[in-house]
Amino acid sequence: MTVSHLIVSNDSVSRMPSPYGIDPAGRSLRDHRRRRQTLSTTASYGCKILLQVTSEANEAKTKELIKQVLIQNSNYTDGSISVRADPASIHIQLIDPGACPAEVTHSFSKGNYTWPEIKAGHTASLCCTGNPNHFAMRKCDVNGETDRATWANPMLESCPTLSSLPDNIVDLAKVDVTTDNALVVAELINNLTSDSPKMNLQEVEIVVSKVVEVMKVGEVTPSLGLTIVDIVTNIMETESNLQPVANQILEITESIGNTMSFDGESVSITSPMLALTVLNINSSQFDGLAFGVTSFIQGHDLQTFINQDPFDDTVAYISLPRSLEKHLFQQRNRTMARVQFTFYGKTVLFQDSILRDRILNTYVVSATVTNVTIRDLTDPVTITLQHLKPNQYNESVECVFWDLNGNNGLGGWSSEGCRMNSTSLNHTTCLCDHLTHFGVLMDLSRTPISALDDRIMTMITYVGCGLSSIFLTVTLLSYIAFDKLRRDYPSKILMNLSAALLLLNLLFLINTWLASFGNHGLCICLAVTLHYSLLASFTWMLLAAVHMYFALVKVFNIYVHSYILKLCSIGWGVPLVVVSIVLAINKDFYGSGVSAESVSPAKTPEDVFCWVQDNVAFYVSVVAYFLLILVCNLAVFIVVLVQIHSLKARNPAGSQSGHLSNLKSVVSLTFLLGLTWGFGCFAWGPAKVPFLYLFSICNSLQGFFIFVFHCLLKENVRKQWRIHLCCGRFRLNEYSDWSRSGTNGRSRANQAARSPSVKSVKSHKSNSTSSTSNGSDSGRKLISTVGSHLDLVYENPLAASSTSSSPSFPSVFRVQTNGLEVHYQQPSWKK
């Protein structure tokens, strides 16, 4: 009697479809119906069956007997399906699968078992290590694809447990790691660390020491390498201080690639926080090498690529030059070399205590060559790293590498051999002459702003801009609705300034929301409009200052044709020219600076803001523009204050209203001329945070303060509100109010004119008017009264006539400040 293994194959098996059963190809008919809604009436399949036959007949007779049995049973039906085998397509072949070789199984809990060599189809039986009355069994099967003998998994269920596995990391220290149990211990460590997110330093040290032991005694296969990578990931996610063991962990990850045995040219192992790629390089095929990491999504395995150009959302990219070949293969006449790339998706292993005002603003990527130290390369290694936080303030960045010997062996960052090639809002490209772990530091010495301060200032800015938008709208509607409020030039200038500030505040409020859509064209339009509204606001602040200068300092008659129209052409036209020039140079100067596809756990929606992204364009078209206006407005502010002080000094009887009135005048001018924007010039060094708070509060509330000083505290605006908006006892009659106001004003003026103590201010001032006055102060009539208003009011500033040659009415303007009201009246004159 002989035992033979035969392969029975059938090239054509026809069947009718059925919702149940297994077809000859091993596929569920129910699944097949799910994949195909319609099947043909018949379908043909080929199948392969492995038979173990015990027979006393010879090979030919055995084959014939098997074929007869199959033909007799070639038709099968269960009422819903019919299967028929074509006798002509049945082929039977005798095979010799050989025997399963002797093999040792290592089990930490069940013991070690040495399986003897046995033939395919037989089952080996061994006594259990812990109890000889029980048996461990293992069958020698035949591989259906290779037709060779192969061991099945051992059946150790009957064997008792020799020792219980540690259920905590501390007890793990008692486990001895051997060649037999290295893989089991690695799996155990992985399970324990994944269940312990808050390991202390002692537990971390135990884990690291055991992993080192596993690496020393066990064969590092891709399976074991993946387990160790998972362990390192678990360690990186713990809340412990890893600085004392960081270098050991880095050496572990490097040893994975150095000692791993695998088939093929490369192998990649990834986890949510760590990616490792190992390549075997042939000297005849090396033409440079590149590695990158993209699509870094929290909680998902990293995505890597080899020898591709970096994408917009590339988190890390490193390119090795072609000249590296001589370092790889000319030592010891080697023709093969192994290169390992590693990406660390968390920076906890790279903590340098002496960084002070610098932080690591990128993830870390490394490149190493097994058993070779690479340094002093003629062609540098190129490293491009994505910033964890966008460099919105153009802070200084530094390309560095991790020096394992720094900080007395704890490791530290060093810039030796590395230099920055380029940097932008989101990426920095470095060039280094050696291989190791690379990163980019950002200097925070100029930006000591904590995350809490940043959130508070952001909230202040949004609340302030919201309030300013509301009250600027009220201001505009008041001046538009009431014709009597917008008859003079200052009111029209104020309306234009309010419109520009309102547009600026509204665009700022919706910027982040619109930017979150990820539409590049929309973001450019938003950035351009925001830039334009900011420049327009600055320009109208300057025009208000220039107008005030001519009204209060250069006191003489000037007729300017279409005065407001010309101011509008400057206030709205100059910013348009500046923005157009920036767009003409490069429209991509505008944008969010963040790719819509870029995904990084460090980026939040608040980081996406549509604005001027190019540093040169920003400093020229925003900073320089603002500084020029700030200098002019500050000069006007000082001159106006000096002029007011001079008037008060010459008329002490009419200027007894006190310091509160002076303060109100100063504050009113400060917000009107935009001097609070100058706080940004002082936001550096130790005083940066306080001045940034002042900057955020004052500038976001500029529109609110304009409403307060130029609507709420302005008497004629309040009168218009009471006339048109109030009812009952709060309502004023328009005719009686204005008539009574005018009568009272005239009587107060006449009374003041009769006062012997009042004399002309201009009589004490030589050459105080232009050449058109010709020293004719004696021809002017000065009327001075003490009023109740404390703010600075300037009306009819550039006394204008209907014609430039022969005005037929007197030119009048009034300066009212701190209780001193001065009316200048110039007699009519003709050529």
Side-chain angles (χ1 to χ4, degrees), residues 32-101:
H32 193 80
R33 291 186 65 192
R34 289 171 180 167
R35 290 190 296 269
R36 298 181 57 190
Q37 296 181 353
T38 303
L39 287 175
S40 58
T41 303
T42 61
S44 297
Y45 295 91
C47 63
K48 179 180 178 181
I49 304 172
L50 181 65
L51 299 177
Q52 182 177 343
V53 180
T54 302
S55 173
E56 295 181 353
N58 58 25
E59 178 182 344
K61 184 63 177 178
T62 302
K63 290 180 179 181
E64 184 64 26
L65 290 174
I66 294 173
K67 189 170 185 178
Q68 290 177 3
V69 172
L70 292 175
I71 292 174
Q72 292 174 1
N73 298 276
S74 61
N75 293 323
Y76 167 82
T77 182
D78 65 356
S80 59
I81 184 172
S82 296
V83 178
R84 183 180 65 84
D86 183 6
S89 65
I90 297 176
H91 305 285
I92 302 174
Q93 179 184 355
L94 178 67
I95 63 171
D96 181 14
C100 292

Side-chain angles (χ1 to χ4, degrees), residues 75-147:
N75 293 323
Y76 167 82
T77 182
D78 65 356
S80 59
I81 184 172
S82 296
V83 178
R84 183 180 65 84
D86 183 6
S89 65
I90 297 176
H91 305 285
I92 302 174
Q93 179 184 355
L94 178 67
I95 63 171
D96 181 14
C100 292
E103 188 175 281
V104 178
T105 296
H106 306 287
S107 174
F108 181 78
S109 59
K110 301 290 185 176
N112 300 329
Y113 298 88
T114 303
W115 305 103
E117 180 180 342
I118 60 172
K119 292 184 178 181
H122 291 74
T123 300
S125 179
L126 299 174
C127 293
C128 292
T129 303
N131 188 343
N133 296 325
H134 293 77
F135 295 92
M137 305 180 71
R138 193 177 191 188
K139 185 178 180 180
C140 181
D141 282 335
V142 178
N143 188 301
E145 296 182 357
T146 63
D147 299 333

Side-chain angles (χ1 to χ4, degrees), residues 327-341:
H327 296 270
L328 296 178
F329 308 112
Q330 289 186 1
Q331 297 185 17
R332 303 177 186 175
N333 297 321
R334 299 195 309 173
T335 58
M336 295 294 295
R338 174 169 290 188
V339 178
Q340 173 178 329
F341 296 102

Side-chain angles (χ1 to χ4, degrees), residues 407-435:
N407 292 335
N408 298 320
L410 294 178
W413 291 109
S414 172
S415 61
E416 184 178 356
C418 292
R419 58 185 174 88
M420 183 188 70
N421 182 52
S422 63
T423 187
S424 64
L425 180 70
N426 292 312
H427 291 87
T428 293
T429 299
C430 302
L431 302 177
C432 296
D433 62 2
H434 55 277
L435 296 184

Side-chain angles (χ1 to χ4, degrees), residues 2 13 56 98 138 146 204 208 285 299 382 410 424 446 475 486 502 504 654 660 681 703 736 745 782 817:
T2 61
V13 178
E56 295 181 353
R138 193 177 191 188
T146 63
V204 172
V208 171
Q285 300 175 349
T382 302
L410 294 178
S424 64
R446 296 180 296 168
T475 302
R486 61 176 189 273
L502 178 60
L504 175 65
L660 183 61
C681 300
S736 62
L782 175 65
T817 177

